[in-house]
Amino acid sequence: MRLRTLEDVFAFAEAEGVTLRIDGTEGQVRRPKAHRPGRKAYISGKKKQNTLKAVVISDGQGRCLWLGAIRPGRMHDVTQVRTEGIEEQLRLHPNVRAEVDSGYTGLARDFPGQVSAPPKKPGQDAGPGERNLYANTRHRQSQRRIMVEHAIAEPKQWRSLQRWTGQRQDLPEVMAAIGGLVSDRAAKRATVHMPSTDLVLARATAC
């Protein structure tokens, strides 16, 4: 089964009861020439470099299901998923669950029953009990979300994505192509939780 679009990914997740892991990754690009319109749009607030950022969606086994929503590095994570249509897919598939990091807190706020984000850090006047609860809750959420980090690491093994030296407008197509190759390879890889090497339906469809 090849998941080519966001619609395919969310339909698969809803049919199979898969909890999605959503996270972003950034790739460094050349700095636009001075005095060009939109030059600041590529400066990442996190890395302080000129980057393009993409969204990666994986399953609970660390297999990359989709890579896309490629935008200039200055765009906020939540804005990135909203402009790509991920927010709309969550509305269309109310049974789909997702794990995200703190950059998608706004998405978790809008979809409290579907999207899980790390809890808000307690204030300085918080007691030991509240701090321990925060640490334990964050640790459990990180354990559930860590698989997307493995999915992000695979495309970055390709030299082209370690530091892109070509034209910026060509990088989105290259990232999407590499994401498709990584997804195909991951689907054929057996895991501890899934001995089969095929990404197939886990439950038989009723005749």
Side-chain angles (χ1 to χ4, degrees):
M1 179 183 294
R2 179 70 184 275
L3 306 177
R4 298 180 181 275
T5 65
L6 270 178
E7 290 79 5
D8 292 341
V9 172
F10 277 82
F12 170 76
E14 186 171 46
E16 293 300 292
V18 174
T19 299
L20 301 176
R21 275 70 173 176
I22 304 174
D23 202 356
T25 181
E26 294 184 74
Q28 187 176 355
V29 296
R30 289 179 177 178
R31 185 171 66 173
K33 292 182 179 180
H35 309 300
R36 278 195 175 179
R39 188 169 185 254
K40 292 183 178 180
Y42 291 91
I43 300 177
S44 169
K46 179 180 179 181
K47 292 193 172 184
K48 310 302 180 184
Q49 297 175 337
N50 289 267
T51 65
L52 281 176
K53 62 196 307 184
V55 173
V56 176
I57 299 179
S58 79
D59 62 4
Q61 301 177 59
R63 297 187 294 186
C64 178
L65 302 180
W66 184 82
L67 186 153
I70 301 166
R71 303 286 190 274
R74 194 178 183 87
M75 182 176 288
H76 194 277
D77 292 343
V78 174
T79 305
Q80 184 182 11
V81 299
R82 285 173 176 167
T83 56
E84 186 64 21
I86 293 176
E87 188 179 55
E88 182 64 23
Q89 289 301 314
L90 287 169
R91 290 195 182 95
L92 295 174
H93 302 278
N95 296 323
V96 173
R97 302 290 182 267
E99 300 283 347
V100 298
D101 67 4
S102 56
Y104 301 92
T105 303
L107 194 66
R109 182 188 63 244
D110 295 340
F111 297 90
Q114 294 179 256
V115 181
S116 173
K120 186 178 179 180
K121 188 175 182 179
Q124 296 182 354
D125 57 344
E130 188 176 352
R131 291 182 180 275
N132 288 336
L133 177 62
Y134 163 77
N136 292 332
T137 304
R138 185 178 180 86
H139 179 67
R140 290 195 299 270
Q141 203 271 348
S142 297
Q143 285 182 318
R144 298 193 301 268
R145 196 186 59 81
I146 191 63
M147 287 303 176
V148 72
E149 301 293 344
H150 300 319
I152 289 175
E154 285 194 70
K156 288 196 170 183
Q157 294 176 1
W158 294 66
R159 188 176 298 275
S160 298
L161 297 189
Q162 292 175 5
R163 190 180 188 281
W164 179 252
T165 57
Q167 297 293 324
R168 290 185 307 278
Q169 61 267 24
D170 296 335
L171 181 56
E173 185 176 354
V174 173
M175 292 180 75
I178 291 176
L181 293 172
V182 169
S183 180
D184 285 349
R185 184 171 63 181
K188 298 177 181 178
R189 183 177 66 242
T191 66
V192 174
H193 301 290
M194 182 67 70
S196 172
T197 58
D198 294 324
L199 186 61
V200 297
L201 297 177
R203 296 189 295 271
T205 304
C207 296

